[in-house]
Amino acid sequence: MAKQKRPPRPKAEPPRGFRDHFGSEVAERSAMLDAVAGVYHLNGFEALESPAVETVEALGSFLPDVDRPNDGVFAWQVDEDGDWLALRYDLTAPLARVFAQHRNELPAPYRRFAIGPVWRNEKPGPGRFRQFYQCDADTVGSPSIAADAEICMVLSDALEAVGIPRGDYVIRLNNRKVLNGVLDVAGLSGEAARERGIVLRSIDKLDRLGPESVRSLLGEGRTDESGDFAEGAGLADSQAGTVMEFIEARRGDNAATLERLSEIIGDNATGKAGVAELRGMAELMEAGGYGPDRVVIDPSVVRGLGYYTGPVYEADLTFEIRDEKGRPQQFGSVAGGGRYDDLVKRFTGQEVPATGISIGVDRLLAALRAKGRSSGESAGPVVVTVMDRDRMGAYQAMASTLRKAGIRAEVYLGNPRNFGNQLKYADRRRSPVAIIQGSNEVARGVVQVKDLALGARIAEGASLKEWRDQPAQFECPIGDLVSRVREILDR
Amino acid sequence: MAKQKRPPRPKAEPPRGFRDHFGSEVAERSAMLDAVAGVYHLNGFEALESPAVETVEALGSFLPDVDRPNDGVFAWQVDEDGDWLALRYDLTAPLARVFAQHRNELPAPYRRFAIGPVWRNEKPGPGRFRQFYQCDADTVGSPSIAADAEICMVLSDALEAVGIPRGDYVIRLNNRKVLNGVLDVAGLSGEAARERGIVLRSIDKLDRLGPESVRSLLGEGRTDESGDFAEGAGLADSQAGTVMEFIEARRGDNAATLERLSEIIGDNATGKAGVAELRGMAELMEAGGYGPDRVVIDPSVVRGLGYYTGPVYEADLTFEIRDEKGRPQQFGSVAGGGRYDDLVKRFTGQEVPATGISIGVDRLLAALRAKGRSSGESAGPVVVTVMDRDRMGAYQAMASTLRKAGIRAEVYLGNPRNFGNQLKYADRRRSPVAIIQGSNEVARGVVQVKDLALGARIAEGASLKEWRDQPAQFECPIGDLVSRVREILDR
């Protein structure tokens, strides 16, 4: 018998496209989510936490890529003849399932918010992960555009609550009915579902590819830089022209944009209904103080998802940041949503009007970091070092005293033999202060307090005066521990 | 060609064993997790959020049931020759992977906390779910029992922080080395892994089955109430007797328990080391003020998991609650943990000492609810009703005014035609106040304020005087809206 090989050691890494978040990064995101949840809640939205796992049947397939509807989801069969389960790919599909299930007990309309990770089985790439957070607010059961306007206003408040000041973002508003009217006008009937789908996804690429490429995609198709050919919608020149007029219909103010849209859609009933909805939403929002400095009508926004039926909206950050080579970059979209009236119907057969928003948490966090509004770093705990391992109880008592005063503190738990290692540890922990007490200090009832933050500042070039006035290490009676540590932390 | 049937409608329900959480239930858990995270952080632990998904290879199999090591996990293959991925079944296995991966950058020792859902592919049952929260704190890289003692003290602080007062819980402490010593003494060598495993899991059932059943499981086996036979460890009477002596070794105080354990293990080196560790931990904790009112040595605690190597501990709630039939029930264990020194070794070949705790969030929350310390219910928003749908902007302005004063408020977004439905909606929302403004009120610059909470109290039998002094509905100038609503909310 051949000698069995020992199994190889497992690789210590997450699956491709997944990542870990550490320390203050977690705290930072959590603070941001709390701020958004606070705005949602204040506006009457109720929290909902559905499970990460749904049946494939309940989840359905609403991911944008209609050519491969079953792709993009992590799914598995529980056992040989068990259910097919899947990780949720967004928070909207589970909402539809929950509302259909509990529609008799839930208030109608039902305003709900949900925050949590979603999963996509997509090819990972730079900045593209297979697990990421979403933070959604939706209103189910109201056909009124007041519900859509409210979602946009809540989104605006949420962005300001996390630290994006007015002027650094804009919510762009459009309406699918206008687009559908334009396609009717262009002679592309509702039956031409495939072509309409390509038109939708082509317009959605406007920000990234520019108008010329979109024009190609509306017609014969387009060969990209890598030489790959993307088939077009096959529209005739006049048809494509009408669509281009539509997406370029934004004017200097909402009134002018609405007028331009009215011209394009002419007498088309669907298109006129869409324009009326846009006008109504803009009026409601202006009445609420959400004017064009926060929300503008922009016909180039269509949102890729096929299920939107009326108003669609998108929040863009308007400030520039520089990439590592100093080139200006725009952050673009950090949130998007719209009205979808068919999702609950899958379960109940009855159409239920719904509208909602999804905030891309990780992009928003990256934007805040790029603006320097979130450092991503925070100070570590005070470290009580260990000079004498028989006195662990006394060291723990010191840490405990500091904690009772609300100061984050810990005792060094590594091998205490090498004191230099203890200070290196405190450094790696980004500790502001180290406490030292050997037998000499015990005998005199004192401790040594070492200001590690000052040490770091000195290394970065503090003045000699600062160095002299604030000694980086001093001795104090054990009873003064809390007040002297606080002095350092308050500096 | 046969006529294609329309596909049946999907069932609107979560997969078996999964559930949804609504409204204040979510807020309540989130507040509890924040309180625990606050204690962990104050003690120097750093947040870590690893993904829900790991490779099967990295995750390994450490679930308690050694007979079916691959069961209990949701796993799938990404594509035909892709990786096998799985949902994490606890937060410890991912920690081992993260520490192995980042050991050169992480501080050593590394104190980390993690909060999040885990998944088990187990048969669901009453109170048994396939997704549940854990809330862990671990210290990796310290062999010192000071690290174990710290974990127990942090656990104690965390329980008190969420609202379990001292006296309503106890942390029971034991040490695997003592058990291993006892098994040596009983003549069950370390080679008898299968028998040792059965002994471990049998002792773990003591609380549930009682000593007689455990005694049977140590010997020939046991037939349960349903007639199923569970094979025993096959210990001889004298061996089983020694094990029973061990698990019943708890005495009136820690000193007496330690003495009794010393008698049982005699000169066995492993057992003596275990007793010394127990003594050392008890001393450290007593020095920190964590005496027997919070932590006691109890040899009947072993924790089922095979990977523990030293101290093990468990937090039990000691108060009684009544079930729906009025029968007294004990909540039992809400947290458990211990020292495990081999988990990182799988990746690196080097043994890394580690110790930690996992809090069962859902059980703890259920306990708080049973004690009436958490209501699970909270008031809804103020509802601004809609008397005239052309005045939505004005109604939204009222809601906005209330929100700016920090009062949760919303405008009714359903069909406003039936006013009774609006009040039913407010009722379902548990709204404390409804605001009403029709054309009559507009003309006079006033609003009607309806105290819905009072309405509910009157229905529950408020006095006639209360009813007269606090009219359930009154009129006030629009400018007084905030102050008059606040009056009601403050009652």
Side-chain angles (χ1 to χ4, degrees):
Chain A
M1 224 171 93
K3 203 179 160 186
Q4 273 204 319
K5 271 207 293 190
R6 266 183 73 181
R9 284 187 194 139
K11 284 200 205 88
E13 51 190 42
R16 282 195 332 126
F18 291 88
R19 59 182 164 166
D20 303 307
H21 299 276
F22 293 90
S24 45
E25 212 184 339
V26 177
E28 192 180 40
R29 185 173 54 200
S30 163
M32 198 183 89
L33 294 175
D34 284 352
V36 175
V39 170
Y40 288 164
H41 185 259
L42 186 65
N43 280 272
F45 290 76
E46 292 292 337
L48 168 66
E49 189 177 326
S50 64
V53 179
E54 297 275 348
T55 63
V56 165
E57 180 193 5
L59 215 48
S61 286
F62 296 97
L63 284 174
D65 199 335
V66 292
D67 298 335
R68 298 175 305 157
N70 288 315
D71 269 17
V73 173
F74 289 114
W76 65 93
Q77 197 171 16
V78 177
D79 47 49
E80 271 176 35
D81 33 55
D83 288 339
W84 275 89
L85 304 183
L87 288 174
R88 64 183 179 203
Y89 55 79
D90 71 4
L91 300 173
T92 310
L95 169 63
R97 191 267 300 158
V98 168
F99 187 83
Q101 182 177 357
H102 299 283
R103 62 191 183 281
N104 294 327
E105 307 99 60
L106 288 172
Y110 176 49
R111 287 179 179 92
R112 87 89 181 77
F113 72 90
I115 294 174
V118 301
W119 293 266
R120 302 269 169 97
N121 183 11
E122 284 166 356
K123 208 177 155 187
R128 280 172 70 90
F129 295 94
R130 293 164 122 183
Q131 171 175 333
F132 51 92
Y133 270 80
Q134 287 190 339
C135 183
D136 287 22
D138 294 77
T139 300
V140 183
S142 173
S144 165
I145 54 161
D148 302 284
E150 178 179 84
I151 292 280
C152 290
M153 294 188 281
V154 167
L155 172 59
S156 172
D157 287 357
L159 293 174
E160 294 184 15
V162 304
I164 311 277
R166 209 163 300 174
D168 271 2
Y169 72 91
V170 66
I171 297 169
R172 300 190 296 153
L173 176 65
N174 194 11
N175 194 303
R176 275 291 173 81
K177 291 179 185 167
V178 184
L179 173 61
N180 290 337
V182 168
L183 295 178
D184 287 346
V185 168
L188 207 69
S189 85
E191 314 263 288
R194 186 186 151 276
E195 288 77 6
R196 282 185 170 227
I198 298 177
V199 168
L200 208 61
R201 294 197 297 283
S202 303
I203 302 177
D204 208 27
K205 290 173 185 152
L206 181 67
D207 282 349
R208 194 155 51 84
L209 302 180
E212 271 183 51
S213 300
V214 172
R215 177 67 186 77
S216 307
L217 285 169
L218 294 176
E220 291 306 306
R222 171 179 177 268
T223 305
D224 70 14
E225 285 152 18
S226 70
D228 284 349
F229 179 74
E231 209 181 335
L235 268 56
D237 274 359
S238 65
Q239 293 179 311
T242 305
V243 173
M244 291 307 292
E245 277 181 350
F246 165 69
I247 65 177
E248 289 167 345
R250 182 171 166 184
R251 295 294 179 264
D253 60 43
N254 285 347
T257 304
L258 288 166
E259 195 170 327
R260 175 72 188 123
L261 286 175
S262 293
E263 281 169 30
I264 299 172
I265 54 106
D267 275 339
N268 179 276
T270 309
K272 280 169 81 171
V275 171
E277 287 185 4
L278 279 176
R279 182 174 289 119
M281 281 181 69
E283 280 170 7
L284 271 178
M285 289 192 269
E286 274 172 37
Y290 297 76
D293 55 335
R294 293 199 260 182
V295 190
V296 296
I297 296 171
D298 184 343
S300 70
V301 170
V302 299
R303 307 294 303 163
L305 290 173
Y307 60 63
Y308 290 126
T309 54
V312 287
Y313 29 83
E314 182 172 298
D316 293 306
L317 301 186
T318 53
F319 56 82
E320 260 184 11
I321 52 130
R322 305 265 160 178
D323 69 8
E324 56 280 12
K325 291 186 181 159
R327 293 172 299 202
Q329 283 199 314
Q330 290 235 322
F331 255 101
S333 167
V334 290
R339 176 165 286 278
Y340 51 97
D341 291 336
D342 288 344
L343 282 189
V344 177
K345 192 179 180 183
R346 292 181 57 236
F347 295 98
T348 63
Q350 288 172 321
E351 200 162 275
V352 177
T355 184
I357 190 80
S358 183
I359 297 181
V361 175
D362 300 285
R363 287 181 62 80
L364 191 54
L365 208 48
L368 287 170
R369 278 194 200 125
K371 280 292 268 188
R373 293 207 181 104
S374 190
S375 71
E377 297 274 12
S378 61
V382 171
V383 170
V384 178
T385 60
V386 175
M387 300 295 284
D388 174 355
R389 69 169 79 197
D390 290 334
R391 299 192 64 256
M392 283 304 281
Y395 298 130
Q396 282 185 339
M398 286 183 218
S400 176
T401 302
L402 289 167
R403 289 195 287 259
K404 277 181 189 135
I407 297 169
R408 196 175 177 216
E410 59 171 52
V411 177
Y412 180 70
L413 283 179
N415 186 336
R417 218 165 285 170
N418 180 336
F419 189 70
N421 279 349
Q422 300 200 41
L423 291 183
K424 270 184 216 150
Y425 169 84
D427 192 48
R428 189 165 274 197
R429 296 288 280 116
R430 306 176 55 86
S431 301
V433 174
I435 307 297
I436 306 160
Q437 193 191 47
S439 52
N440 180 298
E441 283 83 10
V442 176
R444 291 184 295 120
V446 299
V447 290
Q448 299 284 338
V449 177
K450 196 172 170 66
D451 183 341
L452 300 169
L454 179 61
R457 280 201 304 282
I458 287 168
E460 281 167 11
S463 71
L464 195 63
K465 185 168 181 312
E466 193 177 358
W467 168 237
R468 216 172 36 216
D469 293 352
Q470 297 179 356
Q473 182 170 334
F474 58 83
E475 188 174 297
C476 77
I478 179 83
D480 293 349
L481 179 63
V482 168
S483 60
R484 298 305 300 271
V485 167
R486 192 171 321 269
E487 260 172 44
I488 297 178
L489 298 179
D490 288 346
R491 261 175 217 163
Chain B
M1 225 172 95
K3 203 177 158 187
Q4 272 202 320
K5 272 207 293 188
R6 266 183 73 184
R9 285 189 192 135
K11 284 200 205 88
E13 50 190 43
R16 283 199 327 127
F18 290 87
R19 58 182 165 165
D20 303 307
H21 299 277
F22 293 89
S24 46
E25 212 185 340
V26 177
E28 192 180 42
R29 185 172 56 200
S30 163
M32 198 184 88
L33 294 175
D34 284 352
V36 174
V39 170
Y40 288 164
H41 185 259
L42 186 65
N43 281 271
F45 289 75
E46 292 292 338
L48 169 66
E49 189 177 325
S50 64
V53 179
E54 297 275 348
T55 63
V56 164
E57 179 193 6
L59 215 48
S61 287
F62 295 98
L63 284 174
D65 198 336
V66 293
D67 299 335
R68 299 175 305 158
N70 289 315
D71 269 17
V73 173
F74 288 114
W76 66 91
Q77 197 172 17
V78 177
D79 48 48
E80 272 176 34
D81 32 55
D83 288 339
W84 274 88
L85 304 182
L87 288 174
R88 64 183 179 203
Y89 54 79
D90 71 5
L91 300 172
T92 311
L95 169 63
R97 191 268 300 158
V98 168
F99 187 83
Q101 182 177 358
H102 299 283
R103 62 190 183 283
N104 295 326
E105 308 98 62
L106 288 171
Y110 175 49
R111 286 180 181 91
R112 88 89 181 77
F113 72 91
I115 294 175
V118 302
W119 294 265
R120 301 269 169 95
N121 184 10
E122 285 167 356
K123 207 177 157 187
R128 281 172 71 89
F129 294 94
R130 292 163 123 183
Q131 172 176 333
F132 52 92
Y133 269 78
Q134 288 190 338
C135 183
D136 288 21
D138 295 77
T139 300
V140 183
S142 173
S144 165
I145 53 162
D148 301 285
E150 179 178 83
I151 292 280
C152 290
M153 295 188 281
V154 167
L155 173 59
S156 173
D157 286 358
L159 293 174
E160 295 184 15
V162 304
I164 310 278
R166 209 163 300 175
D168 270 1
Y169 71 92
V170 65
I171 297 169
R172 300 191 295 154
L173 176 65
N174 194 11
N175 193 302
R176 276 290 174 80
K177 290 179 185 166
V178 183
L179 173 61
N180 290 338
V182 167
L183 296 178
D184 287 347
V185 167
L188 207 69
S189 85
E191 315 264 287
R194 184 186 151 276
E195 288 78 5
R196 282 185 170 226
I198 299 179
V199 169
L200 208 61
R201 293 195 299 283
S202 304
I203 302 178
D204 209 27
K205 291 172 184 153
L206 181 66
D207 282 349
R208 194 156 51 85
L209 302 180
E212 270 181 51
S213 299
V214 172
R215 177 68 186 75
S216 308
L217 287 169
L218 295 175
E220 290 308 305
R222 170 179 175 267
T223 305
D224 69 14
E225 286 151 18
S226 71
D228 284 348
F229 180 73
E231 209 182 335
L235 268 56
D237 273 1
S238 65
Q239 292 178 313
T242 305
V243 173
M244 291 307 292
E245 277 182 351
F246 166 69
I247 64 178
E248 290 169 344
R250 182 170 166 184
R251 295 293 179 266
D253 61 43
N254 286 347
T257 303
L258 288 167
E259 196 171 326
R260 176 73 187 123
L261 287 175
S262 293
E263 281 169 28
I264 298 172
I265 53 105
D267 275 340
N268 179 276
T270 308
K272 282 170 81 169
V275 171
E277 287 184 5
L278 280 175
R279 182 174 289 121
M281 282 181 69
E283 281 170 7
L284 270 178
M285 290 192 270
E286 274 173 37
Y290 297 76
D293 56 336
R294 292 199 262 181
V295 191
V296 296
I297 296 172
D298 184 343
S300 70
V301 170
V302 300
R303 305 296 302 163
L305 291 173
Y307 60 62
Y308 289 126
T309 54
V312 288
Y313 29 84
E314 182 172 300
D316 294 306
L317 300 186
T318 53
F319 56 82
E320 261 184 8
I321 53 130
R322 304 264 159 178
D323 68 8
E324 58 279 14
K325 293 187 180 158
R327 292 171 301 202
Q329 283 198 314
Q330 292 236 321
F331 255 100
S333 168
V334 291
R339 176 165 285 278
Y340 51 96
D341 291 336
D342 289 343
L343 282 189
V344 177
K345 192 179 180 183
R346 291 179 58 234
F347 296 98
T348 63
Q350 288 173 322
E351 199 162 277
V352 177
T355 185
I357 190 79
S358 183
I359 296 181
V361 175
D362 300 284
R363 287 180 63 80
L364 192 53
L365 208 49
L368 287 170
R369 279 193 201 126
K371 281 291 268 187
R373 294 208 180 101
S374 189
S375 71
E377 297 275 12
S378 62
V382 171
V383 169
V384 178
T385 60
V386 175
M387 299 295 282
D388 175 357
R389 68 170 78 198
D390 290 334
R391 299 192 63 256
M392 282 304 280
Y395 298 130
Q396 281 185 339
M398 286 183 217
S400 176
T401 301
L402 289 166
R403 289 194 287 260
K404 277 180 190 137
I407 297 169
R408 196 174 177 218
E410 59 172 51
V411 176
Y412 180 70
L413 284 179
N415 186 337
R417 217 165 288 169
N418 180 336
F419 189 71
N421 279 349
Q422 300 200 41
L423 291 182
K424 270 185 214 148
Y425 169 84
D427 192 47
R428 191 165 272 198
R429 296 288 281 116
R430 306 176 56 84
S431 301
V433 174
I435 307 296
I436 306 160
Q437 193 190 46
S439 51
N440 180 298
E441 283 83 10
V442 175
R444 292 183 295 121
V446 300
V447 291
Q448 298 285 338
V449 177
K450 195 172 171 67
D451 183 341
L452 301 169
L454 179 62
R457 280 200 304 282
I458 287 168
E460 284 167 9
S463 72
L464 194 65
K465 184 168 181 314
E466 192 177 1
W467 169 238
R468 216 173 35 217
D469 293 352
Q470 296 180 357
Q473 182 169 335
F474 58 84
E475 187 174 296
C476 77
I478 179 85
D480 293 349
L481 179 63
V482 168
S483 60
R484 298 305 301 270
V485 167
R486 180 145 5 242
E487 259 172 43
I488 298 178
L489 298 180
D490 288 348
R491 260 174 218 164

